[in-house]
Amino acid sequence: MSASITKCLFPVAGLGTRFLPATKEIAKEMLPLVDRPIIEYGVDEAVGSGCREMVMITGRSKKAIEDHFDRSFELEELLKSRNKESLYNEVVSRSTRADFIYLRQHRPLGLGHAVLCGEPVCRNEYFGVILPDDVMVAETPVLSQLIEVHKARGGCVLALEEVPEADTARYGIVVAESAGDGVFAIRDMVEKPGPERAPSRLAIMGRYILSPGIFPLLSAQGTGAGGEIQLTDGIRAIIGAEPVWGLLYRGRRFDCGTQVGWLDANISLAMEHPALREVVLEAVRRCGERNSI
Ligand code: G1P
């Protein structure tokens, strides 16, 4: 049986140009999704999956992420002095439930390069990767579902989702054989192929369990699709040396890397929030009335 996974890496150096001008000074991971910044959903998932060390691969203008997960003496004292005990406990526990480690990605050389930046901290053990733009809502955290496959079968594990043919160019697409129970043995993969080149419709989503064996492969690797050091190419190079599994995860995904996906996530999750559901319904009803005048 494999050892448990305690470290989770978050590539958060991207500039968030799709959200400009909102993200000129604010990290896109800090945009609120209902009641928390987007990054907090990923951290919740990692903590809920048993990880205790959050390894953030950051870049310039991402200081707000570090401050967010730090203790805030002034805020804590204020909440205490105003007897806001439950808010105080919540704020403190969100900063103390894990260790937060920050490493810089100095140049925007791609997702594979971002993962490679985590080598100093992750080089000795299997580790999780969460791409926080993909917000996952699931009964069992999706990273935890991947960890279960890793514990039972060893090797790397990637989250898979079946996507429409028209969307294959947005994802890494795998060649895989079913091994039962939603698990697939991955034989090959290609980054962002158009429908005419896509070997299947099984797409990689932003959750991975990776072997430390990926680091030497990534550092030896040249640039791939889009002139970037692709994570997909690094994982592809591992196939053969150790098993690489895919799991059709159970849960829902919101692509918060786009304005449309982020808006959808806000409305959908607010509808599931007991205190906010009526607010959304009322706002939609009012808009409907105004439009029919
Ligand atoms: C990255 C990966 C891609 C994967 C996707 C999931 O692409 O390179 O293989 O399918 O994340 O969100 P990106 O979205 O960073 O372009």
Side-chain angles (χ1 to χ4, degrees), residues 162-177:
E162 200 165 330
V163 297
E165 210 178 66
D167 287 351
T168 56
R170 293 171 54 191
Y171 303 103
I173 303 290
V174 302
V175 179
E177 283 160 35

Side-chain angles (χ1 to χ4, degrees), residues 228-247:
E228 297 187 337
I229 297 178
Q230 295 292 349
L231 181 59
T232 301
D233 295 338
I235 301 172
R236 187 167 180 258
I238 282 195
I239 300 171
E242 56 179 292
V244 178
W245 306 102
L247 175 70

